[in-house]
């Protein structure tokens, strides 16, 4: 009898482990997206469009960011850009190989380009952006055959919460008449 048979149909077979691994990975995505939502709430509290991002490396957050476009009067101060800069500083390298970017809204063209140039291999976002999304909604920059750099894309993680914070923010602005 070989050691592999010890993991047969008694509950530790391949299908069981694969199902458990998928659950753990999806649960981790949810956990990290909750941190991105915390960043989005920081933006909202500053009257910024509530988008948040975190960069994860080896099971820890190495970069955080939330929109600061209005605060800094800087059109490049998107959550993703700030999180990427923070992560690069944390690793003392512009190459963010082996990291994952979690962001509450699908990245725009500028951010998708920066993600690729930073060599971030995986983008995970909550809500799609049909107007400006560059990960498949409006355009596809992050994973296209026309570029030699690609990122894997996973979307829909905590999508209802990611949409709601944006919808509530813009409803409040319309109500105030801003």
């Amino acid at each position: 009898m070989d050691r592999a048979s010890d993991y047969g149909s008694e509950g530790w077979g391949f299908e069981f482990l694969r199902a458990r691994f998928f659950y753990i990975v999806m649960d981790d995505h949810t956990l990290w997206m909750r941190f991105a939502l915390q960043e989005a709430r920081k933006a909202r509290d500053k009257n910024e469009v509530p988008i948040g991002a975190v960069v994860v490396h080896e099971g820890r957050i190495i970069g955080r960011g939330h929109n600061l476009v209005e605060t800094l009067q800087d059109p490049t101060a998107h959550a993703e850009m700030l999180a990427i800069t923070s992560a690069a500083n944390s690793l003392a390298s512009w190459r963010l190989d082996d990291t994952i970017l979690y962001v509450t809204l699908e990245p725009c063209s500028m951010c998708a380009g920066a993600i690729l140039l930073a060599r971030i291999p995986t983008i995970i976002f909550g809500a799609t952006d049909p107007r400006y999304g560059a990960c498949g909604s409006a355009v596809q920059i992050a994973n296209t055959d026309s570029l030699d750099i690609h990122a894997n894309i996973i979307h829909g993680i905590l999508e209802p919460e990611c949409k709601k914070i944006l919808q509530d923010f813009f409803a409040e602005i319309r109500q105030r008449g801003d």
Side-chain angles (χ1 to χ4, degrees):
M1 183 162 134
D2 63 32
R3 293 184 65 183
S5 64
D6 291 343
Y7 301 100
S9 61
E10 293 83 31
W12 292 100
F14 176 74
E15 289 304 317
F16 174 82
L17 291 174
R18 185 170 69 169
R20 289 288 181 229
F21 178 74
F22 179 76
Y23 174 77
I24 290 168
V25 168
M26 291 307 293
D27 193 44
D28 283 351
H29 291 332
T30 300
L31 170 75
W32 299 120
M33 189 62 75
R34 290 197 189 287
F35 285 104
L37 277 164
Q38 284 179 356
E39 291 296 315
R41 284 189 282 279
K42 291 177 186 177
R44 178 199 59 207
D45 294 345
K46 296 174 182 172
N47 206 31
E48 295 275 357
V49 176
I51 300 170
V54 296
V55 178
V56 175
H57 180 256
E58 296 179 350
R60 66 184 183 91
I61 295 172
I62 60 164
R64 299 173 183 266
H66 55 274
N67 271 5
L68 289 174
V69 172
E70 297 296 332
T71 301
L72 299 176
Q73 289 298 295
D74 179 355
T76 69
H78 289 198
E80 302 95 322
M81 301 294 278
L82 299 173
I84 289 168
T85 299
S86 176
N89 288 335
S90 176
L91 293 181
S93 175
W94 64 269
R95 288 183 174 271
L96 300 178
D97 301 321
D98 303 320
T99 64
I100 301 173
L101 174 78
Y102 291 85
V103 61
T104 56
L105 184 66
E106 179 179 3
C108 70
S109 297
M110 173 184 68
C111 293
I115 291 163
L116 292 179
L117 292 173
R119 306 304 195 263
I120 296 174
T122 305
I123 303 166
I124 299 176
F125 65 88
T128 58
D129 185 354
R131 289 179 64 200
Y132 300 109
C135 294
S137 292
V139 295
Q140 177 56 273
I141 291 175
N143 193 356
T144 179
D145 291 337
S146 63
L147 298 175
D148 64 344
I149 308 169
H150 304 95
N152 298 314
I153 300 166
I154 299 171
H155 63 88
I157 305 297
L158 295 181
E159 183 175 16
E161 293 94 325
C162 293
K163 277 185 179 179
K164 183 171 179 8
I165 193 169
L166 286 161
Q167 290 168 339
D168 291 352
F169 176 80
F170 288 111
E172 184 179 320
I173 285 177
R174 284 191 295 278
Q175 188 178 33
R176 286 193 321 240
D178 287 356

